[in-house]
Amino acid sequence: MVLRDIKKDSPTWAWERSTEHGKAWAQQWRILQTRRKCAGTRGGAQQGHKRNVDFGFSPESDVPLVISYADVEAAAQRLRGVAHRTPVLTSRTVNSATRAELFFKCENLQRMGAFKFRGAYNALAHFTPEQRTRGVLAFSSGNHAQAIALSARLLEMPAVIVMPKDAPALKITATRGYGAEVVLYDRYTEDREALSARIAAERGMTLIPPYDHPHVMAGQGTAAKELFDDVGTLDLLFVCVGGGGLISGCAVATRALAPQCEVIGVEPEAGNDVQQSFRRGEIVHIDVPRTIADGAQTQHPGKLTFPVIRELVHDVVTVGDAALVRTMRFFAERMKLVVEPTGCLGAAAVLEGTVPVQGKRVGVIVSGGNIDLARYAQLLTHGLS
């Protein structure tokens, strides 16, 4: 990914031009391009610079990474006393079955029911007084919508959320309940980013995307920071993947706190855009995936998240919807937890044996628990039929 590939008026384009962090990131990119030209080859450019402490660099692409562990630490300070420090739960049953030691970071018990609150609040806490007066706009299938709506209410600013018409009714209702205005669109025929950019421009609001934003990424990384603070070092960390905000933040925290730990991303089989991108070394776009994991129905990783994933993530694997249902049932029956399908991705990869874990200490981010009760009961009782 290079800066000229960023579409004008996209959230990333606006961030790069309107924030000090964004301007510094762009400056680092331009310096690298100059060095590359002087060196004459990609390899020469690689040898011509050292790793930048503040940003970090992706060795494969020479693209500066937009967050560092210092950003995660700063986010943790902003979230102190605001976000829940969610519990880490264990299960003798699953430890016996996998012959490993598993630690579940239960973000389904976070405020508004998902990890998304961390990134949303951290992003809005950076707003200037003028931005707070004009308000925030976001697009989301549900959890980011609720997170932005709740954070905006806590910080006393207006919020508009662009949501797909087929988003879970519970998530639409909750978003409105937090005081946000909801604008619905058809995810299969309309471009949510273009619609959101137009509304933001018309109303003078600040657009906060669901994952491709440094303050969002840093906020999400605090989940992994808390996990390592509570349980110590790990061998593997499983993280669900949509657009990459959670896994990129968690990967940065992992590199700082447990550099030997391998971060494994998990996607639904029907929506493996990040896995394809990871394998090819470039961002791959796919059609809107049809999966029960509505929080992972992304079409491509972010231009800011992908360089972090490519450098710091060990692998990206997939699990099927049937496996997600079985994992939902496990959480309900054995751990008495309500977990939405997307929140089951990481655990499903472990429980289904997608990645060998025997003899290892394993962390799993349980990302959220927002699901309509009727749909939840249907899936537990009848599965996908």
Side-chain angles (χ1 to χ4, degrees):
M1 186 272 290
V2 296
L3 196 60
R4 61 178 175 271
D5 293 333
I6 299 174
K7 187 181 356 178
K8 186 176 181 181
D9 296 329
S10 70
T12 303
W13 185 90
W15 166 78
E16 182 264 315
R17 284 157 178 77
S18 63
T19 69
E20 291 304 316
H21 197 114
K23 291 175 183 176
W25 178 83
Q27 181 181 22
Q28 290 291 332
W29 182 89
R30 285 190 289 269
I31 291 172
L32 287 173
Q33 292 305 299
T34 300
R35 286 174 175 164
R36 180 179 293 173
K37 290 178 182 178
C38 292
T41 65
R42 188 182 188 89
Q46 170 69 17
Q47 297 172 0
H49 69 76
K50 297 180 180 179
R51 178 171 297 277
N52 183 286
V53 175
D54 292 327
F55 293 90
F57 292 96
S58 169
E60 298 298 322
S61 63
D62 286 347
V63 175
L65 305 183
V66 297
I67 63 169
S68 68
Y69 182 62
D71 298 310
V72 177
E73 288 184 306
Q77 290 299 318
R78 293 186 193 94
L79 291 166
R80 190 183 300 274
V82 181
H84 295 324
R85 188 180 183 93
T86 52
V88 178
L89 301 183
T90 60
S91 166
R92 291 182 181 178
T93 299
V94 75
N95 286 353
S96 176
T98 60
R99 297 183 181 179
E101 191 174 6
L102 269 69
F103 302 91
F104 297 96
K105 178 63 171 171
C106 295
E107 286 296 290
N108 58 313
L109 303 179
Q110 185 54 262
R111 294 188 73 164
M112 50 68 53
F115 75 95
K116 291 282 190 177
F117 178 75
R118 297 174 180 272
Y121 188 89
N122 186 53
L124 269 59
H126 282 82
F127 276 25
T128 65
E130 181 181 358
Q131 286 178 306
R132 292 193 183 198
T133 299
R134 292 182 175 273
V136 60
L137 185 141
F139 51 84
S140 167
S141 62
N143 284 337
H144 180 64
Q146 294 177 74
I148 289 290
L150 175 57
S151 299
R153 189 180 74 178
L154 293 173
L155 294 167
E156 301 181 334
M157 68 178 77
V160 173
I161 311 296
V162 175
M163 301 184 71
K165 294 177 181 178
D166 62 347
L170 172 71
K171 295 182 179 182
I172 295 175
T173 301
T175 301
R176 287 176 171 147
Y178 289 130
E181 176 188 346
V182 174
V183 176
L184 299 176
Y185 76 100
D186 186 330
R187 75 163 87 221
Y188 299 104
T189 62
E190 296 181 271
D191 184 337
R192 68 177 185 176
E193 294 190 22
L195 175 61
S196 299
R198 178 175 59 79
I199 297 174
E202 290 173 352
R203 304 193 188 188
M205 307 182 92
T206 300
L207 176 59
I208 299 295
Y211 51 84
D212 213 24
H213 191 286
H215 301 154
V216 172
M217 295 159 64
Q220 317 305 28
T222 61
K225 179 184 183 303
E226 289 180 5
L227 175 60
F228 286 114
D229 287 346
D230 288 347
V231 306
T233 190
L234 297 169
D235 299 305
L236 296 167
L237 177 63
F238 288 81
V239 186
C240 66
V241 183
L246 176 62
I247 195 170
S248 59
C250 288
V252 168
T254 300
R255 179 176 64 176
L257 299 175
Q260 80 293 341
C261 178
E262 296 179 353
V263 178
I264 308 294
V266 189
E267 289 185 291
E269 285 179 354
N272 68 333
D273 52 296
V274 177
Q275 184 188 59
Q276 291 186 50
S277 302
F278 188 78
R279 298 282 192 270
R280 290 178 55 177
E282 62 183 10
I283 292 177
V284 172
H285 293 250
I286 64 172
D287 293 333
V288 177
R290 296 186 181 273
T291 170
I292 62 172
D294 64 285
Q297 286 183 297
T298 51
Q299 295 176 266
H300 58 84
K303 285 184 169 64
L304 301 182
T305 62
F306 182 60
V308 182
I309 293 170
R310 184 163 59 176
E311 178 176 358
L312 302 183
V313 172
H314 180 74
D315 198 7
V316 180
V317 300
T318 65
V319 295
D321 281 4
L324 296 180
V325 172
R326 289 191 291 270
T327 304
M328 289 173 62
R329 190 174 292 121
F330 161 77
F331 276 127
E333 292 178 346
R334 306 312 297 259
M335 298 187 71
K336 314 309 175 189
L337 292 173
V338 175
V339 183
E340 63 185 275
T342 306
C344 290
L345 283 166
V350 177
L351 298 177
E352 298 286 321
T354 306
V355 178
V357 298
Q358 183 176 346
K360 298 182 182 296
R361 285 171 56 85
V362 180
V364 177
I365 305 294
V366 181
S367 63
N370 293 319
I371 182 171
D372 292 329
L373 289 181
R375 176 63 168 158
Y376 181 68
Q378 178 188 34
L379 288 171
L380 292 186
T381 305
H382 304 292
L384 299 173
S385 60

